[in-house]
Amino acid sequence: MKGRVYVEYRRLGFFAVETEDNDFSIIEVRSGIPSLGDELIGGINSLGEKQLYNETTKEELDVSIKSIQLTLPEAKSYIKDAARGK
């Protein structure tokens, strides 16, 4: 599945990725850092540890998919809560 980085919180490594299904997945990046607008390919729509391919920068990312099938407000709220340590 393809997705596009839509929201980022680089300090914690959390990103909201808009999927082809027009919902959002939250990823925590372990290695590599995507940027806003980057196109990602991989298992964005299922939870767990994954390797995603950043089609924009041509690099592999090691990530943990933390949440899936969120609305944009839910995705932003998830990242805000993570930044507050909740």
Side-chain angles (χ1 to χ4, degrees):
M1 171 170 275
K2 280 190 175 187
R4 182 175 55 90
V5 177
Y6 197 85
V7 177
E8 65 181 2
Y9 192 78
R10 286 178 173 263
R11 194 182 86 200
L12 290 179
F14 278 83
F15 298 83
V17 178
E18 184 177 20
T19 72
E20 293 172 319
D21 297 333
N22 297 315
D23 55 20
F24 291 84
S25 294
I26 302 295
I27 65 171
E28 181 180 10
V29 177
R30 309 250 189 248
S31 71
I33 296 289
S35 296
L36 287 177
D38 282 4
E39 295 286 332
L40 306 181
I41 299 172
I44 299 168
N45 60 341
S46 62
L47 299 173
E49 303 296 316
K50 312 276 181 191
Q51 271 204 328
L52 301 180
Y53 182 71
N54 186 332
E55 192 171 60
T56 306
T57 63
K58 310 294 188 224
E59 68 178 340
E60 295 285 332
L61 303 174
D62 288 323
V63 305
S64 177
I65 310 291
K66 298 293 190 180
S67 192
I68 59 173
Q69 297 177 338
L70 301 176
T71 64
L72 180 56
E74 289 171 336
K76 287 180 177 180
S77 178
Y78 187 103
I79 291 174
K80 283 179 191 172
D81 288 348
R84 293 182 187 136
K86 295 183 180 181

